[in-house]
Amino acid sequence: MYPFDYHRPTSLKEATNLFQAADDPQWLAGGMTLLPAMKLRLTAPSNLIDLAGLDDLKGLKKINGSIHVGAMTLHDVVARSPDVRQNIPALAALASGIGDSQVRNRGTIGGSISNSDPAADYPAAILGLDATIITTCRQIASDDFFTNLFETALESGEIVKQVSFPIPDCAGYVKFPNPASRYAIVGVMVSKTGSAVRVAVTGAGASAFRVAEMEQALMADFRPEVLHEIQISSDDLNEDLHASAEYRAHLVNVMARRAVGLACGA
């Protein structure tokens, strides 16, 4: 690593002041991506501002018809939460499948979505459950948050405070994981709330995206079978040593059908 100054503020105001005073600052949440990147000298912030001391950003609770998750809440806490398991079991299942136990006990939901890794699991939950991202400046709708590969709508210095997940009537998440990293080669979250259906995909493109054709088909008939003939274009999908674009297109359909089956209780 290159030299840097480390800070552990105890309030949002202190964190913001430190960020504004630094030459090239970087927020540190769980550090699951940032620290390896620093070790490889792919990034070299002048100041590392650790958000782990901000207790206001931790924990989760049910408020009316939504589950509110603090940005510094660990993946393992989400996976084990009785409120999440009872109200949005698909979200608990998603969190329980992130990485391994070491990652789940260090990584945070705020850090994950702010990083916008194209193979991360939480972006599918954000889009698929129509979550609202609450920051130090504003509220950002799910469809507006992820903008591109490792890019979000967050502005410089803006901190995610919490994520609000509306409780759906039913939902399911299924992914085809990389056997080593457990990242999603393709992951699909499907949810149904009233007559509205959302189908969100992670791992396949530069960032998470929705599949309108699948949503329309499921709004008419919420069964896995209605998706069987829907063809996903491989244009602009990711291609690497783990899967071709064409294979990822195929997996989107397969994972979506399995997610609908889970949502239906199959």
Side-chain angles (χ1 to χ4, degrees):
M1 291 185 182
Y2 293 101
F4 63 90
D5 291 329
Y6 173 81
H7 310 273
R8 189 181 172 94
T10 56
S11 70
L12 278 172
K13 182 177 180 180
E14 182 185 359
T16 300
N17 289 339
L18 285 167
F19 191 95
Q20 292 174 346
D23 293 330
D24 185 17
Q26 182 66 266
W27 301 121
L28 174 64
M32 295 297 94
T33 298
L34 177 59
L35 294 183
M38 291 175 65
K39 289 178 181 180
L40 292 170
R41 299 196 171 195
L42 297 175
T43 185
S46 63
N47 295 73
L48 207 57
I49 303 172
D50 190 348
L51 302 178
L54 305 185
D55 292 337
D56 290 346
L57 302 187
K58 300 176 183 177
L60 56 83
K61 54 187 175 181
K62 180 182 178 183
I63 302 177
N64 298 324
S66 298
I67 299 293
H68 291 248
V69 184
M72 289 298 292
T73 303
L74 302 177
H75 306 322
D76 189 66
V77 172
V78 176
R80 294 176 181 272
S81 164
D83 280 337
V84 178
R85 289 186 171 188
Q86 179 178 353
N87 293 282
I88 317 179
L91 181 60
L94 179 150
S96 70
I98 296 174
D100 53 25
S101 60
Q102 288 86 353
V103 170
R104 291 191 293 274
N105 280 279
R106 288 296 302 172
T108 65
I109 184 172
S112 177
I113 65 173
S114 298
N115 188 47
S116 190
D117 191 303
D121 294 282
Y122 270 123
I126 297 296
L127 282 179
L129 296 170
D130 196 18
T132 299
I133 295 86
I134 301 165
T135 78
T136 47
C137 305
R138 53 186 168 146
Q139 296 188 10
I140 306 174
S142 61
D143 290 327
D144 299 328
F145 188 75
F146 301 104
T147 58
N148 209 328
L149 179 70
F150 295 111
E151 294 181 3
T152 71
L154 292 172
E155 298 177 355
S156 178
E158 190 172 9
I159 303 174
V160 175
K161 294 173 62 178
Q162 63 179 231
V163 182
S164 175
F165 292 97
I167 297 172
D169 295 336
C170 61
Y173 178 70
V174 179
K175 72 173 174 179
F176 190 84
N178 179 302
S181 68
R182 312 304 294 173
Y183 273 114
I185 293 176
V186 168
V188 180
M189 174 71 81
V190 175
S191 73
K192 184 176 187 295
T193 305
S195 60
V197 173
R198 297 177 74 92
V199 178
V201 179
T202 191
S207 61
F209 60 90
R210 293 170 60 190
V211 185
E213 187 177 0
M214 287 184 170
E215 293 175 347
Q216 293 167 5
L218 290 169
M219 281 190 280
D221 186 0
F222 196 77
R223 294 182 303 116
E225 293 79 7
V226 305
L227 302 180
H228 195 274
E229 299 302 322
I230 294 178
Q231 300 294 317
I232 303 298
S233 172
S234 62
D235 294 346
D236 300 323
L237 294 190
N238 296 334
E239 184 158 3
D240 53 33
L241 60 87
H242 303 296
S244 66
E246 290 77 13
Y247 188 51
R248 279 187 164 89
H250 169 73
L251 284 176
V252 171
N253 186 286
V254 175
M255 297 300 105
R257 282 184 279 134
R258 293 180 183 178
V260 174
L262 285 178
C264 292

